Amino acid sequence: MKRFNYGFFHLVFFLISLLLLGSGLSMDPFSYDQSLKSECLMEPPQTTSNTEGEGFEELNINEKRGNIKVVERFDLQKGNTYSISAWVKLRNDNQRKVGMTLRWKNGKNVFGGEVMAKKACWSLLKGGITADFSGPIHIFFESNDLAAAEIHVQNVRMQRFNKTQWRLQQDQLIEKIRKNKVRFQLSFHNKSAVKGSVISIEQIKPSFLLGCAMNYRILESQSYKEWFVSRFRLTSFTNEMKWYTTEVVRGQENYTLADSMMNLAEENNVMVKGHTVLWDDQRWQPSWVKRIRNPEDLKNVTLNRINSVMKRYKGRLIAWDVMNENVHFSYFEYMLGGNASAIVYSMASKLEPDIPLFLNEFNTVEYDNERVGSPVNVKKRMEEIVSYPGNKNIKGGIGAQAHFAPKQPNLAYMRSALDTLGSLGFPVWLTEVDMAKCPNQVKYMEEILREAYSHPAVKGIIIYAGPEVSGFNKLTLADKDFNNTEAGDLIDKLLQEWQQKPVEISIQNHEHNDEEGRIVGFSPEISLLHGHYKVTVTNPSMKNLSTSFNLEITKEMGHLQEVQLVIDA
Ligand SMILES: *[C@@H]1O[C@H](CO)[C@@H](O)[C@H](O)[C@H]1NC(C)=O
Ligand SMILES: *[C@@H]1O[C@H](CO)[C@@H](O)[C@H](O)[C@H]1NC(C)=O
Ligand SMILES: *[C@@H]1O[C@H](CO)[C@@H](O)[C@H](O)[C@H]1NC(C)=O
Ligand SMILES: *[C@@H]1O[C@H](CO)[C@@H](O)[C@H](O)[C@H]1NC(C)=O
Ligand SMILES: *[C@@H]1O[C@H](CO)[C@@H](O)[C@H](O)[C@H]1NC(C)=O
Ligand SMILES: *[C@@H]1O[C@H](CO)[C@@H](O)[C@H](O)[C@H]1NC(C)=O
Ligand SMILES: *[C@@H]1O[C@H](CO)[C@@H](O)[C@H](O)[C@H]1NC(C)=O
């Protein structure tokens, strides 16, 4: 409880959280509450609660063909999204990936999702397809080199959504995961003061941030800078913090660009995610590093790099990419030993123990046919890092770069990929979202960004974009005169939508007295996006009643939050 004393008005406020608990016993494979962290189960659950709506089907396994299990044929309709789930278990092996493939008649294959299946218990495989063609398909389940008889598959379920239905579902999820219902209760001694009191609510800082990358050209263009800082509160630099930029010549560090951009960000209240301490791709080392053959020499310069860049920006970043792309590549493992990434994370967490240390990969959510940087592999990589001795308590983070191809994104696959990444319990960010220009670029970008925003594991999004002068030429948000492109309009629309607009609500007098004889009135319930707020109580007929306080609305406070204000007037 906090008590405010404003001259002769005393304001006391209480926060009461009313936690509404669901029954949570039945298992709905397409809902988030239970399945985001779905454990391996002894029995595959039979019931579903919410999925029996339109477009819901149970599919039967009706064939075994060599090493695959085939599900009966069904017809896809172009433009619809199909969420598909199944419970899988292995007969003999302890642990192995099982994948789901959708095969069209002419041999076209779409990979729908995968899970790390186990022997002793059932794992939920989720995924699906956003169809960009119509026609009959077969779904099959397989694991490399395993005969069909060695994989159990049960409870295959599919649900079809048209674009409107999918969007509706996203909006419902957003309402549930990004907002709380809040109601104000106000009590006064003075009866007539309750009536007509107004509560103004202004968001100071939203919890969820849609950020944008920036590059050194922002230092050269005042217009780029103004364009940027008037929109974004979160950024990451493209190349300026990378080793190949800061130490072009061995032993001659030069942080001029990164320092200037860091200062620019700080002066304008823009938070920065550091990118990147190291990069596991041999091709992107400084050229002098590529020439090093002696592992001890490489180790020395690598340690120097980690210390140099992390100490320089210590306390000034909100996250770090530590070893970029270390699922696809393994330069440091090859040169320094199989635990190189884990050791680098261990050092990084000692230098910056309080901010999330990200793994940052490509093709994880954006490309369903990816086999190396797949969600299951990215999850496994992070688990390896955390299980290295001493790393148990490091704060991890999962960055999915999200460079999408210029075509219909597979939203069902993206959702299942985010489920898998989110099941580690670390924050998941989309870190470099873009898509090459194509006729539906803006529409597809909107689908992608809404899909990420409606997923509970996603805690931040950074788009890889800028105005024409910045040279981000895939996703260009403004032309050379800084007039918005269509993509720019989309981003501005989402920035608006994802922060709470100021609201004023009035107190209705319920003519009801509390124990101390005060009159109690209530505001209507309102739904507010998570974030920090400034709340002001005024009454037009009481000129000197104007009192403000800060309020934080967070997910942790439950679905309905009641704020009680007691005013001694
Ligand atoms: C999607 O399905 C709903 C419910 O059946 C229907 O009302 C709506 O017209 C459909 N929208 C599209 C774009 O097909
Ligand atoms: C009670 O409030 C009314 C206005 O709402 C004001 O005119 C009146 O002076 C107040 N009475 C006291 C005792 O403060
Ligand atoms: C450091 O980098 C800046 C920006 O690229 C450049 O202007 C400057 O000449 C460099 N300094 C040295 C000593 O190389
Ligand atoms: C690496 O650093 C250590 C400690 O500073 C030094 O003794 C050693 O000679 C260095 N190795 C190489 C190959 O430079
Ligand atoms: C990696 O670290 C683990 C745990 O300390 C150790 O058992 C393993 O041998 C190491 N692997 C390599 C390649 O050094
Ligand atoms: C673009 O911006 C310039 C300068 O701000 C303005 O004069 C012009 O009318 C704009 N063009 C369009 C098509 O909006
Ligand atoms: C409230 O306002 C009235 C007149 O508007 C003034 O006479 C009175 O002193 C004020 N009270 C306080 C505590 O400021």
Side-chain angles (χ1 to χ4, degrees):
M1 190 217 292
K2 284 185 183 173
R3 191 178 185 92
F4 293 83
N5 192 339
Y6 291 92
F8 109 115
F9 295 107
H10 295 287
L11 168 80
V12 182
F13 94 84
F14 313 81
L15 293 176
I16 297 183
S17 300
L18 308 174
L19 204 57
L20 306 174
L21 294 172
S23 69
L25 286 177
S26 64
M27 180 68 107
D28 172 0
F30 303 126
S31 127
Y32 284 108
D33 297 338
Q34 306 94 341
S35 53
L36 185 60
K37 277 187 143 178
S38 85
E39 308 293 332
C40 201
L41 302 178
M42 297 316 289
E43 292 292 329
Q46 294 300 323
T47 46
T48 57
S49 48
N50 299 322
T51 48
E52 278 131 49
E54 216 195 350
F56 174 73
E57 280 182 50
E58 298 232 17
L59 304 171
N60 297 314
I61 304 272
N62 60 356
E63 229 185 298
K64 281 180 203 161
R65 228 186 265 161
N67 64 340
I68 59 177
K69 275 204 153 62
V70 187
V71 173
E72 62 189 352
R73 196 180 95 147
F74 74 94
D75 282 316
L76 286 187
Q77 288 159 30
K78 185 175 172 176
N80 286 349
T81 295
Y82 298 81
S83 276
I84 305 168
S85 73
W87 290 89
V88 297
K89 183 171 130 171
L90 303 178
R91 199 182 287 277
N92 301 313
D93 278 34
N94 279 336
Q95 181 160 290
R96 213 176 243 266
K97 286 189 285 184
V98 172
M100 164 172 75
T101 304
L102 296 89
R103 178 171 290 171
W104 201 28
K105 57 177 185 283
N106 60 4
K108 181 184 164 90
N109 278 336
V110 173
F111 193 75
E114 69 181 351
V115 73
M116 189 62 89
K118 301 194 170 78
K119 181 175 154 187
C121 54
W122 295 86
S123 305
L124 180 61
L125 195 171
K126 289 203 284 185
I129 184 172
T130 300
D132 56 359
F133 59 90
S134 294
I137 55 151
H138 284 110
I139 304 176
F140 59 85
F141 295 90
E142 67 177 334
S143 184
N144 289 346
D145 312 321
L146 275 194
E150 297 172 83
I151 310 167
H152 296 283
V153 180
Q154 272 199 24
N155 295 356
V156 185
R157 297 199 158 81
M158 189 270 294
Q159 191 167 11
R160 184 190 73 239
F161 300 86
N162 68 25
K163 294 260 179 197
T164 320
Q165 292 164 328
W166 191 265
R167 172 66 193 274
L168 188 69
Q169 209 201 14
Q170 288 175 331
D171 289 345
Q172 285 164 353
L173 288 165
I174 289 165
E175 194 64 34
K176 196 163 133 193
I177 65 168
R178 307 275 176 217
K179 298 181 183 180
N180 274 16
K181 290 237 167 34
V182 180
R183 185 173 69 162
F184 294 89
Q185 178 194 319
L186 200 58
S187 26
F188 277 104
H189 285 301
N190 183 339
K191 188 171 168 175
S192 46
V194 176
K195 223 180 217 139
S197 288
V198 176
I199 298 190
S200 314
I201 302 154
E202 190 193 338
Q203 195 178 46
I204 310 164
K205 196 174 146 216
S207 296
F208 188 91
L209 291 180
L210 172 60
C212 185
M214 62 159 79
N215 62 31
Y216 70 94
R217 289 194 171 104
I218 202 164
L219 302 171
E220 299 163 352
S221 162
Q222 181 65 18
S223 309
Y224 179 8
K225 179 183 145 188
E226 282 164 11
W227 175 90
F228 193 99
V229 303
S230 67
R231 288 176 168 73
F232 299 108
R233 302 268 74 85
L234 171 66
T235 194
S236 189
F237 311 159
T238 52
N239 301 323
E240 292 77 5
M241 277 190 184
K242 286 174 183 164
W243 197 2
Y244 68 64
T245 305
T246 63
E247 198 175 350
V248 176
V249 179
R250 181 173 183 158
Q252 293 178 25
E253 291 180 334
N254 184 344
Y255 284 99
T256 309
L257 295 176
D259 281 352
S260 308
M261 287 164 71
M262 196 68 218
N263 292 339
L264 185 155
E266 284 172 340
E267 281 158 17
N268 293 284
N269 266 326
V270 177
M271 296 183 284
V272 182
K273 172 171 76 71
H275 176 75
T276 175
V277 180
L278 293 171
W279 192 347
D280 224 358
D281 186 347
Q282 195 263 346
R283 289 170 296 175
W284 298 105
Q285 308 307 324
S287 49
W288 59 270
V289 171
K290 288 187 217 174
R291 291 194 294 268
I292 294 178
R293 293 286 168 266
N294 176 354
E296 194 195 326
D297 193 15
L298 180 66
K299 188 175 154 197
N300 283 359
V301 296
T302 302
L303 293 181
N304 182 59
R305 158 66 183 175
I306 298 168
N307 277 303
S308 166
V309 73
M310 290 196 71
K311 285 181 180 162
R312 189 171 197 93
Y313 299 114
K314 186 172 165 57
R316 299 168 73 185
L317 301 171
I318 59 160
W320 256 122
D321 291 335
V322 176
M323 181 67 96
N324 199 36
E325 299 176 355
N326 61 349
V327 179
H328 274 96
F329 306 105
S330 48
Y331 169 73
F332 288 97
E333 283 74 12
Y334 175 74
M335 293 293 293
L336 303 177
N339 289 317
S341 285
I343 293 165
V344 170
Y345 269 84
S346 164
M347 291 185 61
S349 73
K350 290 187 179 80
L351 290 164
E352 281 277 22
D354 298 325
I355 60 174
L357 301 174
F358 275 74
L359 192 149
N360 191 49
E361 264 299 339
F362 62 93
N363 284 358
T364 308
V365 300
E366 64 268 44
Y367 181 47
D368 46 20
N369 277 314
E370 171 70 43
R371 299 276 55 86
V372 179
S374 69
V376 170
N377 287 359
V378 168
K379 180 182 175 190
K380 191 162 149 264
R381 191 78 176 100
M382 195 78 215
E383 282 169 341
E384 283 163 13
I385 288 167
V386 175
S387 63
Y388 184 75
N391 282 2
K392 196 167 144 255
N393 294 320
I394 62 170
K395 288 172 84 118
I398 303 288
Q401 295 180 6
H403 295 290
F404 280 81
K407 59 176 194 163
Q408 171 64 53
N410 183 349
L411 301 175
Y413 181 85
M414 179 177 168
R415 186 172 291 184
S416 73
L418 291 171
D419 289 347
T420 302
L421 300 178
S423 65
L424 280 169
F426 291 136
V428 176
W429 287 24
L430 300 200
T431 55
E432 306 176 14
V433 193
D434 68 3
M435 172 183 284
K437 291 192 172 62
C438 66
N440 285 317
Q441 186 200 31
V442 174
K443 192 173 129 222
Y444 295 154
M445 280 300 300
E446 179 162 5
E447 291 179 5
I448 291 161
L449 293 169
R450 288 190 186 282
E451 189 58 45
Y453 185 59
S454 62
H455 198 287
V458 177
K459 306 297 181 199
I461 301 176
I462 299 179
I463 52 174
Y464 212 62
E468 198 173 309
V469 63
S470 69
F472 284 96
N473 51 19
K474 280 177 157 185
L475 196 58
T476 309
L477 302 183
D479 65 16
K480 62 176 180 359
D481 301 317
F482 290 87
N483 293 327
N484 264 8
T485 60
E486 252 185 86
D489 283 342
L490 166 69
I491 298 305
D492 284 350
K493 179 177 83 176
L494 295 178
L495 284 167
Q496 283 295 314
E497 199 181 305
W498 296 353
Q499 65 190 30
Q500 185 71 51
K501 288 170 196 62
V503 270
E504 282 199 347
I505 47 175
S506 51
I507 296 290
Q508 281 136 25
N509 188 354
H510 278 232
E511 299 286 339
H512 128 76
N513 292 50
D514 67 9
E515 313 87 74
E516 290 171 51
R518 295 189 189 89
I519 312 293
V520 180
F522 292 94
S523 77
E525 253 175 49
I526 50 162
S527 187
L528 295 175
L529 284 161
H530 298 155
H532 287 86
Y533 286 86
K534 180 179 173 194
V535 179
T536 307
V537 186
T538 53
N539 188 321
S541 60
M542 298 173 79
K543 290 283 175 281
N544 38 20
L545 169 63
S546 172
T547 181
S548 293
F549 57 95
N550 293 326
L551 180 66
E552 190 185 357
I553 312 269
T554 62
K555 184 179 165 56
E556 286 65 42
M557 300 185 129
H559 294 306
L560 177 63
Q561 194 172 326
E562 186 157 278
V563 183
Q564 295 188 349
L565 308 166
V566 180
I567 297 194
D568 277 350

